[in-house]
Amino acid sequence: MPEMTPDALRAFCDRPPQIVAPELIGATLMLAGAGGMIVETEAYASGDPASHSFSGQTSRNAAMFGRPASAYVYLSYGIHWCFNIVCQPGSAVLVRALESLTGFDEMAARRGVSDPRKLCSGPGKLCQALGIDISHNGLDLDGGVLRLMPGEGGFQLLCGRRIGITRAVEREWRFGLAGSPFLSRRFPATARQTPG
DNA sequence: AAAAAGATGGCCT
DNA sequence: GGCCATCTTTTTT
């Protein structure tokens, strides 16, 4: 597949997040020479009680209402940055885990670990590894600083309940690459999704 | 003005 | 599995 143009990337993201999230498994996310393959995502939809956008636009979540294929970054628990890919207005996909591909030494240094399984196996961890912070909030993902490159698809995926939320927990909007050792947590063996 | 919650992660047992 | 650091945003008084 030829690399997507910025317009194609925007169109790819300008759909409901629960559709985009599974298709992002296998995509590549890069920031300044560091990055890897997305192996775990979660969808947060418009009108979703678990989404930051549920009660309307605020200063924190404003980026969720920006351009599709831009970044929504927020601080979690006062400590960790979390990175989302903006989809349709008021919706986004949280990137929860990466399998590192390039820039390993740099990421390991920022994380203070050497075990590749501990490098990007969580939304806060991958932001620390790549150096993502609030300065990246709202940036387009088409290559200026951050680059998102959707993959070929065709992976065997797992899906299940989202992690760490208290509302709308029944929605199975967490997606992961089956068998990957780089997930933030194992999936309970629930639903299985075949290549698309 | 005050309080509680929160899309986490690391360390403890 | 449990505890809790840490602080911004949001909600409630």
Side-chain angles (χ1 to χ4, degrees), chain A residues 4 119 154:
Chain A
M4 279 190 183
L119 203 60

Side-chain angles (χ1 to χ4, degrees), chain A residues 12-22 43-46 87-88 91-93:
Chain A
F12 176 88
C13 293
D14 192 9
R15 296 179 292 157
Q18 63 271 35
I19 303 299
V20 177
Y44 288 90
S46 180
C87 298
Q88 286 180 332
S91 77
V93 171

Side-chain angles (χ1 to χ4, degrees), chain A residues 2 8 31 34 36 38 49 55 58 69 89 98-99 126 129-130 144 156 169 173 175 177 185 189 193-195:
Chain A
L31 169 53
I38 296 175
S55 299
T58 65
L98 302 178
E99 174 177 346
L126 72 89
L130 269 62
Q156 184 164 46
V169 295
W173 284 355
F175 304 92
L177 177 61
R185 284 201 212 169
Q193 191 167 304
T194 49

Side-chain angles (χ1 to χ4, degrees), chain A residues 28-36 98 101-103 130 145-149:
Chain A
T28 303
L29 178 67
M30 297 291 302
L31 169 53
L98 302 178
L101 292 175
T102 60
L130 269 62
V145 177
L146 288 157
R147 180 180 293 273
L148 175 66
M149 294 168 283

Side-chain angles (χ1 to χ4, degrees), chain A residues 102-113 119 129:
Chain A
T102 60
F104 181 88
D105 291 346
E106 191 184 349
M107 293 195 283
R110 280 193 285 252
R111 287 276 300 120
V113 302
L119 203 60

